[in-house]
Amino acid sequence: MSEHLSLPTTLHRENPSALLEAHFGARPAAHAEAQAHNPALRVEAIGFVRYRGDWLGVLVTPWRLDLLLLAGGGDLWGDIPAGQRRYLDLYGATLPFVAVDEPRLGPYQYSSLVDQVGRIPDMAAAREIALDALHSYLPPQPPPVSPPIAPAESVSRRGFFRRLAGKH
């Protein structure tokens, strides 16, 4: 009997948030029947960023709130058989991740952040939990770099009036 490996056959080059929301949002009823369901929550991918070359973020659904890892070609991803667990050293903690291989989505690994989503009162609270987790497990992100502002050209008085007149 061969084990099914969770291989990163799908490398996500772009942020997978929209893909995750479409995939998990298309099947809420099937998951709700099988697991505890919180009608105050909806499917939302929160804070997905590249970390060590792979994608890490939080997925909120009416039935789960998980930290997800998707292969992006980096060194954080590790192949393990679907259904198996591995421990991953992140910034601030070592967390257990379980491998899943969804036929339409490809492989991903998750670490549960909340055991009982029924206790989460609303999406605002779910987002707050998600952002707290990301701040705890990811190093601070540097602020975006703005392009340098080109120094203003020195314009003579004559050049100024020529530009006003539409002449270059």
Side-chain angles (χ1 to χ4, degrees), residues 24-101:
F24 287 97
R27 304 184 306 154
H31 286 289
E33 292 169 11
Q35 301 175 8
H37 179 75
N38 182 342
L41 303 181
R42 67 178 184 281
V43 174
E44 185 175 337
I46 299 173
F48 275 83
V49 295
R50 277 203 184 266
Y51 179 56
R52 294 176 36 194
D54 294 306
W55 292 99
L56 198 63
V58 175
L59 181 68
V60 176
T61 71
W63 55 92
R64 301 189 63 87
L65 199 149
D66 297 325
L67 185 64
L68 258 64
L69 170 65
L70 289 95
D75 66 356
L76 196 59
W77 180 266
D79 296 329
I80 58 173
Q84 296 295 309
R85 179 185 330 243
R86 73 186 263 239
Y87 289 86
L88 190 56
D89 291 324
L90 297 175
Y91 178 83
T94 299
L95 298 177
F97 279 79
V98 177
V100 176
D101 195 355

Side-chain angles (χ1 to χ4, degrees), residues 5-12 54 70-73 77-80 106-108:
L5 291 179
S6 175
L7 298 174
T9 54
T10 306
L11 289 181
H12 299 273
D54 294 306
L70 289 95
W77 180 266
D79 296 329
I80 58 173
Y108 67 91

Side-chain angles (χ1 to χ4, degrees), residues 128-163:
E128 187 175 330
I129 293 167
L131 293 173
D132 284 348
L134 292 171
H135 290 175
S136 296
Y137 303 134
L138 291 173
Q141 299 294 317
V145 178
S146 300
I149 298 172
E153 289 181 30
S154 174
V155 179
S156 67
R157 184 175 172 165
R158 178 184 284 183
F160 173 75
F161 287 114
R162 287 181 58 83
R163 285 190 184 173

